[in-house]
Amino acid sequence: MRLHSAAPSPFVRKVRIAALELGLFDQIKIIETHVAPGKTDTQYGETVNPLRKIPALELDDGTVLMDSYVICEYLDSLAGNHALIPAAGDARWNVLTGHSVANGMMEAAVLIRYETFLRPEEHRWSGWIDEQWVKIHTGLGWFNQRLPESESSLEGITLACALGYLDFRNPDVDWRGDYSRLAMWHDSASQRDAFSLTDPNG
Ligand SMILES: N[C@@H](CCC(=O)N[C@@H](CS)C(=O)NCC(=O)O)C(=O)O
């Protein structure tokens, strides 16, 4: 399997942690792929992912899977024991909902990055950036009240990726001061090998 990746991407990190936790990482070859708005990689778009986003996973028979959620669900099915996503019941819906919220926080943080780093200064929209920050902070508060039951579920993995990306791109944002339960949860999750090996903060 070939995983189209870039080290700073929190969505790629989610897949890498999932593969490490499931013991499947040795079967994956990392392909460095650069996708940034404004720097169109037409070949990648035409041959791999029409949305030109990473991650995308190419299987040995040529099938391409995307996006990060689908890839994680696929890896979970290969491992065969529902370690990432519970098979049924409340546990399943809780993990999937937590994943959606953490993923949305990651999307907001990546959009802020594009808006502040890539978009020409005269075209930036500060009100829109503020709205993304509100989503991130409301999400942090939501998780501070409702910590994931498992660090290594898809919810726990995605939340750790969202928090790690905030530290990586916005080290000046002191989320730990406002969300102390979440900070303790993140300290504990970060001890896991799969999380520390992929930490963008080194
Ligand atoms: N829904 C996608 C989001 C992936 C995503 O936004 N990746 C970013 C890199 S962190 C990307 O490829 N950006 C390029 C673009 O938006 O054109 C997933 O879960 O895989």
Side-chain angles (χ1 to χ4, degrees):
M1 296 183 275
R2 291 154 44 92
L3 182 66
H4 289 270
S5 306
S9 166
F11 300 97
V12 168
R13 184 179 180 213
K14 185 209 298 189
V15 171
R16 292 177 65 207
I17 294 178
L20 284 161
E21 288 284 353
L22 295 170
L24 294 171
F25 195 73
D26 290 350
Q27 299 179 35
I28 295 177
K29 182 167 185 227
I30 299 289
I31 310 291
E32 279 297 321
T33 304
H34 298 285
V35 286
K39 296 180 190 158
T40 309
D41 180 342
T42 40
Q43 202 200 356
Y44 179 66
E46 280 162 16
T47 59
V48 183
N49 182 346
L51 301 177
R52 290 193 305 106
K53 294 190 182 208
I54 49 168
L57 183 71
E58 286 187 69
L59 306 185
D60 295 342
D61 68 358
T63 306
V64 181
L65 301 181
M66 55 237 159
D67 56 6
S68 62
Y69 172 77
V70 174
I71 298 169
C72 288
E73 189 174 346
Y74 174 73
L75 296 176
D76 206 26
S77 77
L78 280 189
N81 56 359
H82 294 286
L84 296 188
I85 307 167
D90 289 350
R92 176 176 175 81
W93 305 121
N94 284 337
V95 163
L96 290 180
T97 297
H99 165 266
S100 292
V101 174
N103 212 62
M105 291 162 64
M106 252 158 36
E107 283 169 358
V110 169
L111 289 175
I112 290 170
R113 169 75 180 165
Y114 291 160
E115 183 75 11
T116 54
F117 184 71
L118 290 177
R119 192 190 285 263
E121 200 157 359
E122 66 274 19
H123 296 306
R124 289 182 197 158
W125 179 8
S126 63
W128 182 87
I129 296 174
D130 293 346
E131 280 182 25
Q132 304 311 309
W133 277 117
V134 170
K135 292 180 193 200
I136 293 170
H137 277 285
T138 315
L140 290 167
W142 190 81
F143 277 115
N144 201 51
Q145 300 294 323
R146 174 204 183 278
L147 297 171
E149 282 187 18
S150 155
E151 292 170 351
S152 58
S153 68
L154 189 63
E155 174 186 20
I157 292 170
T158 309
L159 179 58
C161 292
L163 298 174
Y165 189 73
L166 272 186
D167 286 342
F168 179 54
R169 291 296 191 207
N170 305 95
D172 48 315
V173 173
D174 176 26
W175 60 268
R176 287 177 177 77
D178 291 329
Y179 309 103
S180 56
R181 292 183 73 224
L182 192 51
M184 279 191 291
W185 179 88
H186 188 238
D187 284 348
S188 166
S190 301
Q191 304 297 315
R192 299 180 74 85
D193 286 349
F195 292 57
S196 59
L197 281 170
T198 57
D199 186 349
N201 302 289

